[in-house]
Amino acid sequence: VQLVESGGGSVQAGGTLTLSCTASGNNCCNFCMGWIRVGLNNEREGVARIDSDGTARYADAVTGRFTISKDNANNVLYLHMSNLKPEDTAKYYCGADPLSQVCQGGYFYYGQGTQVTVS
């Protein structure tokens, strides 16, 4: 599975951004996918994940502000982020677990990441 993220950038606190992750590969992509982020201190945090049936789960820190969604026809995963805060500043990575229909917490494949900076 190949994953390519886009959509990062710099935004002021309270602003919005939408990240995209285009997936490709064999038997893509009716399986667990999600987003993690790596902050300035290299702390790694799961942000949101979506099962093959569309069930979504979020970290407490982003619940109510972030929405994960998937365009199954075009194999694109999205993360819509609103009311962004400085503590959301991180590099965001798309992940995929082709062996799981229900996300278990980890991913086998990651993209190259896209930087989000909130000031």
Side-chain angles (χ1 to χ4, degrees):
V1 176
Q2 292 79 46
L3 304 170
V4 179
E5 302 96 335
S6 61
S10 297
V11 64
Q12 291 190 333
T16 64
L17 276 176
T18 297
L19 307 182
S20 300
C21 171
T22 301
S24 60
N26 292 333
N27 302 314
C28 192
C29 295
N30 189 29
F31 41 68
C32 163
M33 296 186 72
W35 294 91
I36 69 161
R37 62 188 181 187
V38 180
L40 297 174
N41 296 322
N42 282 328
E43 71 274 15
R44 177 178 162 144
E45 177 183 25
V47 175
R49 52 190 184 180
I50 187 165
D51 299 337
S52 60
D53 68 356
T55 300
R57 299 179 184 84
Y58 300 91
D60 290 343
V62 307
T63 297
R65 300 188 298 121
F66 290 11
T67 302
I68 188 171
S69 62
K70 194 174 172 189
D71 177 352
N72 289 314
N74 295 297
N75 294 334
V76 181
L77 182 73
Y78 297 100
L79 185 68
H80 179 70
M81 306 182 292
S82 62
N83 191 20
L84 282 160
K85 303 176 181 180
E87 51 263 44
D88 294 318
T89 295
K91 193 164 188 179
Y92 285 71
Y93 295 85
C94 172
D97 178 2
L99 301 182
S100 298
Q101 302 295 306
V102 177
C103 292
Q104 303 297 317
Y107 305 104
F108 285 102
Y109 299 97
Y110 292 89
Q112 82 289 349
T114 186
Q115 180 67 38
V116 172
T117 302
V118 185
S119 58

